[in-house]
Amino acid sequence: MSIKLEHLNYVYSQGTAYEKKALNDICIEIPHGEFVGIIGHTGSGKSTLIQHLNGLIRATSGELYYNGENIYREGYSMRGLRNEVGLVFQYPEHQLFEIDVMTDVCFGPKNQGLTAEQCKERALEALRLVGLKEKYYNVSPFELSGGQKRRAAIAGVLAMRPKVLVLDEPTAGLDPKGRDDILDQIAYLHRESDITVILVSHSMEDVAKYADRLIVMNRGAVMYNDEPKRVFEHYQELEKVGLAAPQVTYIMHDLAGRGIPVRTDVTTVAEAADEILRAVGS
């Protein structure tokens, strides 16, 4: 169930005075089961890119393949694609609209043609996966906290049993605990549900902790596409385009510059602690 983009380009308002190239010759492949982070400064093309993945936006030129099929070929089922590639927008609580949480989460499966019993079964499974407590199932989604609304919105996508879960800044506006709770839950879903996760984030610490691979966008093009350790080796180049590395990257480089024999390619606090203890012990 891989996603493959070949020389994909997108131009907003093509042929007008407001024409702007948002994506430039994107060539990437995301195999099934991977946890991919997408980072980049505002306007780098992150959100435009992910809206191509389930056909919300059609490329100006280039090709996009899902599971080996070109989604732009005549007769391709975009509805089928959207059943398998679920997109959770930034501030996903804006996707909530039904009278209560259970009804809202059942909406997607209902549109897939499932029976009421099947919809409820899917909804219960999804709500348990995101860790939303049963006492909220019959509550209006608008009475939930910010973090609970995010869980409910993600459950609404999961109830459709997608093969790919795409999340655009799912923790925007949440406090640190709420952010950690949501991301830990997403990591749990990735481990337990055999799905591909594509996470757009501004937090270098978050993508370093959770992602198997990072795609760095800059001015509509792919700047780096590698595992986090390799990407953050280029922290000085990232700074030039308005990004940064995790704080531990700077700490480890500073320690190494002071003559302490630590590795500088660690990207998480836990890795840094282990490496410092090793260096001190040696």
Side-chain angles (χ1 to χ4, degrees):
M1 297 293 178
S2 68
I3 297 174
K4 187 175 184 180
L5 287 69
E6 291 188 349
H7 305 290
L8 190 139
N9 297 276
Y10 185 74
V11 180
Y12 282 107
S13 304
Q14 189 174 28
T16 75
Y18 302 100
E19 181 172 302
K20 179 182 178 182
K21 191 160 194 178
L23 296 178
N24 182 27
D25 197 35
I26 305 295
C27 297
I28 56 177
E29 184 167 4
I30 301 172
H32 177 69
E34 196 170 25
F35 194 131
V36 177
I38 301 178
I39 60 176
H41 58 78
T42 301
S44 62
K46 306 185 301 298
S47 293
T48 302
L49 173 63
I50 63 169
Q51 288 180 65
H52 280 78
L53 301 183
N54 73 347
L56 285 180
I57 294 178
R58 184 186 176 101
T60 306
S61 63
E63 309 298 340
L64 196 158
Y65 295 88
Y66 177 71
N67 200 24
E69 289 189 74
N70 188 340
I71 73 167
Y72 299 139
R73 71 167 172 77
E74 187 175 352
Y76 185 85
S77 172
M78 285 296 180
R79 181 172 182 173
L81 175 68
R82 289 165 190 158
N83 282 337
E84 297 214 355
V85 181
L87 177 58
V88 180
F89 292 99
Q90 188 175 15
Y91 298 105
E93 54 268 31
H94 297 163
Q95 294 173 238
L96 302 169
F97 62 92
E98 286 284 7
I99 189 170
D100 58 50
V101 169
M102 178 61 73
T103 307
D104 204 288
V105 177
C106 285
F107 180 80
K110 182 179 178 181
N111 278 311
Q112 290 178 312
L114 301 184
T115 66
E117 185 178 345
Q118 289 170 323
C119 290
K120 187 172 182 180
E121 181 183 334
R122 291 273 196 95
L124 286 170
E125 177 186 69
L127 286 163
R128 288 168 186 149
L129 279 171
V130 300
L132 193 63
K133 295 179 180 178
E134 190 173 346
K135 65 181 180 180
Y136 297 116
Y137 293 180
N138 296 315
V139 172
S140 166
F142 306 106
E143 294 179 18
L144 302 179
S145 70
Q148 290 164 347
K149 287 178 181 176
R150 302 292 165 91
R151 291 173 190 265
I154 294 170
V157 174
L158 290 175
M160 300 172 71
R161 291 188 180 170
K163 304 293 185 184
V164 181
L165 181 62
V166 185
L167 303 119
D168 189 2
E169 296 280 0
T171 61
L174 296 183
D175 59 38
K177 184 182 184 305
R179 185 190 72 212
D180 290 346
D181 286 347
I182 290 292
L183 290 174
D184 285 344
Q185 203 68 46
I186 291 166
Y188 171 79
L189 292 170
H190 177 247
R191 292 192 306 271
E192 299 298 319
S193 303
D194 187 36
I195 59 174
T196 303
V197 174
I198 301 170
L199 172 69
V200 175
S201 178
H202 277 103
S203 169
M204 302 303 110
E205 280 74 18
D206 290 345
V207 292
K209 180 178 179 181
Y210 295 100
D212 303 317
R213 178 159 59 99
L214 291 185
I215 296 169
V216 181
M217 297 294 296
N218 181 47
R219 295 185 178 181
V222 175
M223 182 177 181
Y224 296 112
N225 180 8
D226 209 338
E227 61 179 298
K229 293 180 189 300
R230 301 285 80 82
V231 169
F232 291 129
E233 285 177 350
H234 304 281
Y235 68 98
Q236 292 175 319
E237 288 80 4
L238 292 172
E239 288 174 345
K240 292 175 184 177
V241 297
L243 298 174
Q247 287 298 312
V248 295
T249 299
Y250 297 98
I251 292 169
M252 301 308 277
H253 277 276
D254 185 55
L255 292 174
R258 295 168 184 261
I260 300 172
V262 293
R263 287 173 35 231
T264 58
D265 64 348
V266 300
T267 55
T268 68
V269 172
E271 289 177 336
D274 289 344
E275 180 60 15
I276 291 169
L277 288 173
R278 183 204 60 77
V280 172
S282 64

